[in-house]
Amino acid sequence: MTNKTSTRTIPAPCPATCDVAVIGGGPSGLAAATRLKQLGINSVHVLERESEAGGIPRHCGHPPFGMREFKRCLTGPDYALRLVQRAKKAGVQIHTNTSVVGLHKAGKLTVTNDMGTSEITPKCVVISTGVRETPRAPRFVSGERPLGVLTTGALQSMIYLKKTIPFKRPVIIGTELVSFSALLTCRSGGIKPAAMIEPQDRITARSFCRPLPILMGVPLYLNTQIVEIIGKERVSAIRLVNAKGLEQTITCDGVLFTGQFTPESSLLRMAHLNVDQQCGGPIVDQFGRCSDPTYFATGNLLRPVETAGWCWQEGRRTADYVALGLANELPAHDQLCNVLSRGPAIKFVVPQVLSLPLGNHGAKTLQLRFSTTTTGRLSVRYGGKTVWSRNISAKPERRVLIPIPKDIKPIDGASLEINFDD
Amino acid sequence: MQNIQSTQHDQEMVYDIVIIGAGVVGCAMARRFSIEGASVLIIEKAADILDGASKANSAILHTGFDAPNGSLELSCIKAGYQEYQEIHEQLQLPIMKTGAIVVAWNAVEEARLGRLMDHARTNGIEDIELLTAKQITEKEPHLSRSARGGFHVPREYVIDPWTSPYAYLMQAIENGARVLRNAEIKSGAFDGTHWRLHTPHDTIRCRTTINCAGLYGDHVDTTLNGKSSFEIRPRKGQFLVYDKAANALISSIILPVPSETTKGIVVCRTIFGNLLVGPTAEEQESRNDASVQKGMLNFLREKAEQMIPELSNQTITATYAGIRPATKSKDYQIQHDVDRHYISVGGIRSTGLSAALGIASYVYDKYSNAGYKHNVPEPLNWPTVQPIAETEPRDWSKPDNGGVICHCELVTRREVQQALEGPLAANSIGGLKRRTRVTMGRCQGFYCSAQLSEMTAGKFDQPLGIGATADDK
């Protein structure tokens, strides 16, 4: 029920207990919640800190979204709306403007909204807080700190949600998929980027994105890095350097830092849950169970970064595992086999542990990312034997999947080792 | 509660006191003179208060244990420290009672500990205590084991570097002071009894002028008196801020053994729940170049990880630089020209936050010794200032907060609205950040920029949004 006399949306009161609380109402969280209801779980509550559920796609006013989920090509906001409608129809309770501020042992959550703080103790918690981009500060970019330095997320919410622009001629830093989303966002806001900058010798996103800057008349500088931001009140220029050490200054009124996604795991870091320093997300087993098995993690929180469709699918699978867990049908979380990666080329591996014995359920693959463009032999060793190997050609930010060996017998203290020899 | 009209500058008025510069020293000065009954106008050249040296410091309330023996700086720090203790509860200003450990990381530094402890005792800081490497590890288990020894200074504390001066000025306002921002002094003349000061938009008359212009103190002296007894030598300090999870890695302020020129790189918790590393000490010509440099930031990170190895796993949420108004002298430069009704408060280098209240009392004493007296307001008004420190219950935990806008720092809609209202309403995004902490967290505005651009539309000289999106139909 909404109170029509108030300008504020009064959030629905959070229950003191429920079957499942889902933290974060983006594609993975909504998919998990919807699926849980479909599986017959009684009370499923999504806690969403923004004023509307839907997650990052809400800010991406361009296609393509929804091929996997709705069998059609939608813009981000339409897709987000459909996810929300589907969840509500399934009986999911969505609490917007509601922030989770503390995770405690055995699933107890501290929650705040316009009514102040309260506590919820669900039987099980799904964390699906997604990712954020790396802003300027942790990138250590030199220079003054003028207005006009943003991330794609901030730009998109300004343009698509508030119809306002922060600059007219920015330089876009990065060439991930999101960087091209930023390019499209600029176009729809009437912003003409001055350049697109990439430190490597090729774009990070897949090659279908390559013609976009040319079509939009935006120069793409490869082998080029940002050296300094210039400007007192607002950005007036940036200084760049290429691989040969040649510098140039580009006049612009903004700098858009795109991508370099990092899991939004701050809540976990401040709580009792273990975080994997390599990928930035929680340490999970093949079911997405965290170090406190009352908590499950799903979607981009697990690792940076996948498409909305991938996260949606992950959310659905996680819901299956949660339902099994509620029915006490998951293996215990006490016999764990660590998954270790060797060699500097491998950026991270998810899941980080396997609960043994492996049954029929749970993720069937390990997800890897490489930090550089490289070719070599990827192999999996367990108990002193190579159990899987393959030659691969890897690029940064591209998904690499390894099948989880089906026949892992518990060996005391043994780890699954992922090796890469170039 | 005063209405806004009465807090604005009145061209007809002859003020007892005009204070030039609304940094921490100017705000404390306004408070002191207002509560002594003087009519006060404080003018600031920037769009908002605390926009110069005061916007970037390490937020430590120093005891003065390492200040030069017998210096004016030491006596102002001690008096400021004392007064802060006395008034902080009434102004609802938090104190985080961390204590500090001066840590020696090599044999040379270790050899200097004894002399530093003697120095501290000479300064009247008697409760210091020598620590062995083992005792340091017991107190700070995450600190690198390469610490060789040190000493504990139990009463070095962490405070809120922005709410404190804001509260001083709010108390001044509630006791009759007025504030004029965007008002740079262009010229001025003294006619034997009154000063007439000119800013681009206003003429101001007063009986006494107090120069608290910080980084521009010597310039203001020269503008008004044709000369200055000191010369500002700007010293830049760069800082790193780690995310809140890093806050748990230490409990005390970790101080290095100071060198002749600087206190060195400090690691401390902030009252907002982060971990701060800095500052560097870089002499420069510019008084407004607060740029950060990648090389220096990397140096700070290396230094921090040497001291606390686990920081290598922690996220950095912010980098910034501040400029300290040093002079060639090691002491504060406070001069009272009784004949010209002029007081210059200069060279308040890195200890301004600790010493501000003490400096204000010292200056007031000089002033009243020259024969001035006012009627102390009865009753004295104490403002209510919303705490934004993590040590206090924050607005998000209270009903009717309007919901959280900035998720990283848990800033509510009500907090932002309040900061945009009243006699000291934020006039810039910097001012809004200092009042509320919006956009200062790990995402640096990823989530809240759009909402903020809407809420602040038409309120800032430099708006967040510069126009509407082009019609793309």
Side-chain angles (χ1 to χ4, degrees), chain B residues 353-376:
Chain B
L353 180 66
S354 305
L357 295 168
I359 294 168
S361 290
Y362 174 81
V363 169
Y364 185 77
D365 288 347
K366 269 183 174 286
Y367 170 83
S368 68
N369 286 343
Y372 295 97
K373 193 150 178 57
H374 304 283
N375 296 321
V376 173

Side-chain angles (χ1 to χ4, degrees), chain A residues 243-267:
Chain A
K244 292 178 188 148
L246 290 175
E247 287 197 0
Q248 67 168 318
T249 302
I250 293 187
T251 305
C252 58
D253 67 349
V255 185
L256 192 65
F257 286 101
T258 65
Q260 292 190 14
F261 283 97
T262 175
E264 184 53 277
S265 56
S266 325
L267 268 176

